[in-house]
């Protein structure tokens, strides 16, 4: 925050809002096929707010027996029919399923609370209603959701002891770290959320002010925003999960430009109860989307297996599988690990020697891509954002390259950057990128992350430790790594005063490096 710039906000709101709203419309297609036997109801949520919901029960349910219950809060901006295809599949398997439109969106009442206390309380109210009005078993309650619904599901599981299993798909554990990592506003992601909320929802006065403060770049608003995000982060209440001990299933994508893989992995590692973590190629919610149309889908298949075991007691083996399941962006198969720390069992350290000074305020051509589009292209074609490393202008870019690798380098986990920075102003932003560079000098993006500093004394060096976004990517033999740093990326807001310069150095007593986690050969 400080000297923030957000020139992309208007275009991001327009184009990206249209994209998500179109997806919402497409969501009606599979729902129509699953609509037979669906009951649409009004449920009184927290404070009496009416939540529009639909109920699907197993065929032949006559009240003579009870069934496990699954509650599905909708995603940000999507209507209540979002989950009907999956709800029908779950009902066919013997579940009572209640899906509802979260408060403030579409026909539900109230205002957008952004997974605040009212949203958490709404889940409990929906459970109350289901237990009183359907043949649901109070001893076997599960909650699941995609994106916004995932975050609300985790928060609900922390606050309601009746929830025995949760599936959080493409969600968040730390809301602040998701859209403000490295003290840098993720401007495209936030503009998308803000735009969609204004088009198909009713933001509360608090929500409108939060987005306004976020985009203003006003450093005096930072602590208030941090406190607001902490209240809405499942990581804040993780001790309650350890107390309640629901079975927690979490899935996300490597290229999620709204909720990064890092914060999910950190949260998962701290859980002590039954748990499972899955990462796949793609961007936000793209790994689950085919399942919303009723098509075969690995994420939803594992979600049903999770509930089948932990709610219905089915011995399907999911509890005996390696709990961390990853699919590399470069290969098609799954890899199993006993925990997250085992993913990158070894590491390769790349020295960032010498002293390099770069000028700010200009995009060098090294970018993280465009929200949704770039990671979806990588998911479908394995073509990530690219840059010609030899042609990057050194006036605005710092570049270090490793030696060529003799073997395949299977990057797994979180790349870590350590360096020393000296700025000519008290505030500044830089973005670090790791590239896979082929024989012709074309770099394919492996990972990136932004970093912003405030309150530094101009001319005095300071240390920086930065985690790049977690990933799984195979660098072919004969290729080399390139570490690139510049100061402008359309994904992020920059805080570089006009004419500022940044110097990256490697003191003898504190050498600069990038540590690349690798899977054991």
């Amino acid at each position: 925050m400080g000297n923030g710039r957000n020139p992309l906000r208007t275009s991001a709101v327009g184009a990206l809002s249209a994209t998500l709203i179109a997806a919402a419309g497409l969501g009606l297609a599979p729902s129509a096929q699953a609509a037979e036997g669906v009951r649409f109801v009004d449920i009184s949520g927290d404070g009496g707010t009416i939540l529009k919901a639909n109920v699907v029960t197993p065929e032949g349910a006559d009240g003579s027996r009870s069934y496990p219950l699954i509650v599905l809060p909708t995603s940000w901006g999507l209507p209540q029919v979002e989950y009907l295809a999956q709800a029908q599949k779950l009902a066919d398997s013997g579940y009572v399923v209640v899906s509802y439109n979260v408060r403030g969106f579409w026909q539900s009442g109230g205002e957008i609370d952004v997974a605040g206390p009212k949203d958490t309380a709404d889940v409990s109210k929906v459970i109350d209603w289901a237990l009183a009005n359907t043949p649901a078993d109070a001893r076997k309650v599960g909650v699941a959701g995609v994106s916004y619904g995932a975050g609300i599901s985790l928060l609900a599981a922390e606050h309601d002891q009746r929830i025995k299993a949760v599936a959080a798909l493409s969600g968040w554990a730390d809301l602040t770290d998701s859209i403000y990592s490295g003290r840098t506003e993720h401007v495209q992601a936030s503009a998308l959320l803000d735009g969609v909320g204004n088009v198909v929802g009713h933001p509360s006065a608090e929500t409108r002010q939060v987005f306004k403060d976020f985009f203003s770049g006003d450093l005096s608003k930072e602590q208030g925003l941090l406190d607001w995000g902490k209240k809405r982060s499942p990581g804040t209440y993780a001790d309650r999960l350890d107390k309640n001990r629901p079975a927690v299933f979490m899935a996300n994508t490597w290229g999620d430009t709204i909720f990064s893989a890092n914060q999910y992995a950190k949260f998962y590692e701290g859980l002590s109860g039954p748990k499972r973590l899955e990462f796949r190629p793609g961007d936000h919610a793209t790994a689950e989307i085919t399942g919303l149309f009723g098509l075969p889908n690995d994420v939803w298949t594992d979600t049903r297996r999770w509930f089948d075991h932990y709610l219905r007691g089915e011995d399907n083996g999911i509890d005996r599988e390696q709990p961390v399941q990853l699919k590399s962006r470069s290969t098609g198969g799954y890899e199993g690990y006993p925990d997250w720390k085992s993913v990158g069992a070894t590491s390769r350290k790349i020295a960032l020697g010498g002293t390099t000074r770069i000028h700010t305020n200009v995009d060098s051509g090294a970018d993280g891509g465009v929200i949704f589009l770039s990671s979806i292209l990588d998911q479908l074609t394995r073509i990530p954002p690219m840059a010609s490393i030899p042609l990057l202008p050194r006036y605005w870019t710092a570049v270090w390259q490793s030696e060529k690798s003799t073997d395949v380098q299977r990057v797994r986990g979180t790349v870590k950057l350590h360096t020393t920075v000296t700025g000519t102003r008290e505030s500044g932003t830089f973005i670090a990128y790791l590239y896979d560079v082929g024989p012709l000098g074309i770099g394919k993006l492996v990972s990136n992350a932004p970093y912003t500093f405030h309150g530094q004394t101009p001319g005095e060096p300071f240390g920086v430790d930065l985690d790049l976004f977690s990933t799984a990517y195979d660098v072919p033999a004969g290729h080399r790594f390139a570490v690139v740093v510049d100061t402008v990326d359309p994904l992020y807001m920059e805080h570089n005063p006009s004419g500022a310069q940044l110097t990256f150095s490697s003191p003898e007593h504190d050498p600069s490096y990038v540590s690349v986690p690798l899977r054991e050969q």
Side-chain angles (χ1 to χ4, degrees), residues 66-69 131 135-141:
S66 60
Y67 302 87
L69 168 66
L131 295 179
D137 189 337
R139 301 166 301 171
K140 301 175 180 179
V141 177

Side-chain angles (χ1 to χ4, degrees), residues 59 68 104 117 139 141 148 195 224 383 417 420:
E59 185 177 359
R139 301 166 301 171
V141 177
Y148 192 43
I383 301 177
L417 166 72
T420 296

Side-chain angles (χ1 to χ4, degrees), residues 68-90:
L69 168 66
I70 295 179
V71 173
L72 302 170
T74 54
S75 303
W76 183 273
L78 295 188
Q80 61 170 307
V81 294
E82 174 187 6
Y83 299 117
L84 275 183
Q86 286 301 322
Q88 189 65 65
K89 289 178 179 289
L90 287 164

Side-chain angles (χ1 to χ4, degrees), residues 30 49 55 76 97 104 124 140 143 162 195 206 208 228 231 294 314 340 352 392 447 466 474 483 506 512:
T49 296
V55 183
W76 183 273
V97 185
S124 294
K140 301 175 180 179
V143 181
R162 294 174 298 180
E206 180 188 33
R208 290 194 299 270
W228 177 87
K231 184 186 295 185
E314 183 177 309
W340 176 250
L352 309 181
L392 290 174
S447 186
L466 176 64
D474 296 350
V483 178
S506 182
S512 296

Side-chain angles (χ1 to χ4, degrees), residues 122-357:
D122 282 344
V123 177
S124 294
K125 291 291 187 180
V126 172
I127 294 172
D128 291 342
W129 183 92
L131 295 179
N133 295 276
T134 73
D137 189 337
R139 301 166 301 171
K140 301 175 180 179
V141 177
V143 181
V146 175
S147 184
Y148 192 43
I152 291 174
S153 294
L154 280 175
L155 287 162
E158 293 171 328
H159 289 82
D160 194 322
Q161 296 182 1
R162 294 174 298 180
I163 297 173
K164 304 304 180 186
V166 58
L169 315 178
S170 292
W172 75 90
D174 187 327
L175 187 57
T176 301
D177 194 46
S178 296
I179 60 175
Y180 189 55
S181 69
R183 294 186 78 181
T184 308
E185 296 88 344
H186 295 206
V187 67
Q188 284 192 10
S190 303
L192 168 65
L193 298 174
D194 185 26
V196 172
N198 280 291
V199 172
V200 299
H202 307 284
S204 66
E206 180 188 33
T207 300
R208 290 194 299 270
Q209 188 63 48
V210 162
F211 277 110
K212 181 179 178 180
D213 292 344
F214 185 86
F215 289 116
S216 73
D218 184 349
L219 192 59
S220 69
K221 306 292 186 181
E222 182 181 43
Q223 189 57 53
L225 292 172
L226 294 176
D227 293 341
W228 177 87
K230 185 176 182 180
K231 184 186 295 185
R232 290 159 169 80
S233 297
T236 303
Y237 316 99
D239 59 325
R240 300 187 184 184
L241 277 183
D242 288 337
K243 179 181 179 181
N244 298 344
R245 295 187 66 81
V248 178
F249 171 66
M250 302 165 63
N252 208 340
T253 55
W254 295 119
D256 194 320
T257 42
I258 298 181
F259 305 129
S260 69
N262 296 45
Q263 44 91 33
Y264 241 24
K266 181 179 179 180
F267 179 73
Y268 169 86
E269 197 73 343
L271 298 178
S272 62
K275 58 184 181 178
R276 183 180 176 94
L277 179 68
E278 298 183 354
F279 285 127
R280 297 172 175 82
D283 206 313
H284 184 64
T286 61
E288 298 90 4
I289 194 168
T290 57
L292 297 179
F293 288 82
L295 301 174
N297 181 277
D298 288 355
V299 184
W300 285 104
T301 295
D302 285 349
T303 296
R304 290 196 298 275
R305 293 176 64 221
W306 191 253
F307 286 137
D308 285 346
H309 179 74
Y310 287 102
L311 294 184
R312 298 176 61 205
E314 183 177 309
D315 185 14
N316 55 20
I318 196 167
D319 58 318
R320 296 189 295 275
E321 297 172 359
Q322 295 276 40
V324 176
Q325 294 287 322
L326 313 180
K327 180 181 282 190
S328 168
R329 292 162 51 199
S330 308
T331 60
Y334 285 95
E335 304 167 2
Y337 300 87
D339 48 39
W340 176 250
K341 65 177 179 290
S342 300
V343 171
T346 62
S347 64
R348 178 179 177 182
K349 186 174 286 188
I350 302 170
L352 309 181
T355 298
T356 305
R357 171 172 288 193

